[in-house]
Amino acid sequence: MTFSLTPSTSQAMTPNQALTSKVREQVDKDFSQRVATLGKLVRIPGIAWEAFDEADLERSAEAVAELFRSSGVFDEVEIKRAVVDGKPGAPAILASRSAKNGRPHVLLYAHHDVQPPGDDSQWLTPAFEPTAKDGRIYGRGAADDKAGVVAHLTAIETLKAVAGDDFDLGISIFIEGEEEAGSRTFRAFLDENKAKLAADVIVVADSMNWSPEVPALTVSLRGMVSQEFTIRTMEHAVHSGMFGGAIPDAIIPMLKVLASLHDDKGNVAVKGLNTYEFDDLPYTDANLRADSSLLPQVSQIGEGGIMTRIWGKPSITVIGIDVPSVAMSSNTLLPTASAKVSMRIAPGQDPDAALAQLRAHIEENVPFGAVLEFGEIETGKPFMADTSGWAQELAKNSLEAAFGNPMVEIGIGGSIPFIADLTEVFPNAQILVTGVEDADSRAHSPNESVHLIGLKNAMIAEALFLLIGNDLESE
Ligand SMILES: [Zn+2]
């Protein structure tokens, strides 16, 4: 369905000054209370990993559900779990309110579970004690993704405050409880609750802005392919002093295969893989070096702009090799060696096709006729947003009005596997990947934080998006 502006409104697809000011005022007024709400959530260490207390995750879900209940926007706010293989998933919050008068329906997604705190000694402030410092709030989940939860809540309550209780926009809420633990029951949850979740636009608030002042939409995610394989050269191990020099151990062909995966410039040497070109952004070689802790003597690898290399080109990493450790080494020709190769693939690339190219490359590069056996594989689809829809345009305009700067399109070098599930279950929905994080948020790491100006701007942008969406009518 496409939506246009209703004839009754003079508002354009771009938020005007009056509306932007009104929304900013509204968000400003309650902002300290919003930050307090975020702090309350940060104090609940809801972690969906098996080793952690599930009671905390339930408390977290209950606290989030209560926030959406007290917004007074939804008829019912439920805490639900999908069951997969007889095992219930983590508690998720589900709420919806139907669209009226032909207005669009928007699904707002975030997750309330967080990463484990990691090494406590690395935290400068306690992980689950929200701490304000230098314009930021520190704490596990302060950014990823409890700030996303609070941004959605604020946007909805601002819509209600400005447009009145009886607004027409349809809204669904899905706050997942196991994103950081692999979203095991995500697909089942979508399938079971399809009617309540179905929407014209899905806002996934789990990414980042370029900075607290420069907004971004995440338009692509790389996909992933991994392949385990084993190379054999002999029936059993033999003494290197007796046969070394005439018989290849399995390590020689394994290292030759692994070395063949990159050319001399560090480009991926597997043929037939796609590249998606990104425009360069103000991100320098020095930024890359500092952010990645690359040693001063070591050069970068690969050709092309930085953004294209980390978001748009394939990359290959050898993530495991089974060989004896140095401590256990002996003068032996080893008969077998195994490795696991993980490949990030470009947005738009088919994972199965990429896997076939990787396997063909490995097969072609095994020397000496050594025996190759392929083992386990994993694949994850990449994502590329359709940036031609009205929602993308409205989001861009809302972000630019709220932040006061032009928006940039960014990619993510990693994957958010559940995005592929969203596109499969809701093929007609436009997906917007927004965020509250910035480059210094350190999601998943110690000293995670959210910048308060960035958070406020993200809230204003989302409220503007919902307010103008509330005035759109289907054509
Ligand atoms: Zn997240």
Side-chain angles (χ1 to χ4, degrees), residues 47-62:
I47 299 162
W49 296 25
E50 292 219 339
F52 292 85
D53 190 353
E54 230 208 293
D56 288 331
L57 203 56
E58 279 164 17
R59 275 203 300 140
S60 169
E62 194 44 61

Side-chain angles (χ1 to χ4, degrees), residues 111 144-145 179-180 206 437 444:
H111 62 89
D144 183 13
D145 189 21
E179 199 276 340
E180 303 292 6
D206 194 17
E437 292 169 34
H444 297 206

Side-chain angles (χ1 to χ4, degrees), residues 356-372:
Q357 296 289 355
L358 175 63
R359 290 167 74 120
H361 179 97
I362 294 170
E363 276 168 351
E364 273 165 34
N365 283 278
V366 178
F368 316 128
V371 177
L372 169 69

Side-chain angles (χ1 to χ4, degrees), residues 2 62 69 89 114 117 126 159 194 223 249:
T2 55
E62 194 44 61
R69 272 186 210 120
V114 297
L159 164 67
K194 204 171 162 181
D249 66 3

Side-chain angles (χ1 to χ4, degrees), residues 224-225 273 343 345 349-359 377-382:
M224 212 251 327
V225 161
L273 299 175
M343 182 160 79
I345 58 173
Q349 171 91 60
D350 172 44
D352 294 330
L355 178 64
Q357 296 289 355
L358 175 63
R359 290 167 74 120
I377 60 163
E378 286 163 57
T379 59
K381 286 186 186 153

Side-chain angles (χ1 to χ4, degrees), residues 229 254 258-259 261-262 316-321 338-342:
F229 61 98
M254 174 55 81
L258 298 180
L261 294 168
H262 295 89
I316 292 185
T317 312
V318 179
I319 58 173
I321 311 179
S338 299
K340 181 171 181 180
V341 169
S342 165

Side-chain angles (χ1 to χ4, degrees), residues 417-441:
F418 70 74
I419 299 261
D421 291 328
L422 287 173
T423 58
E424 276 170 30
V425 178
F426 303 114
N428 298 320
Q430 299 177 66
I431 298 184
L432 302 173
V433 182
T434 64
V436 289
E437 292 169 34
D438 59 83
D440 295 322
S441 284

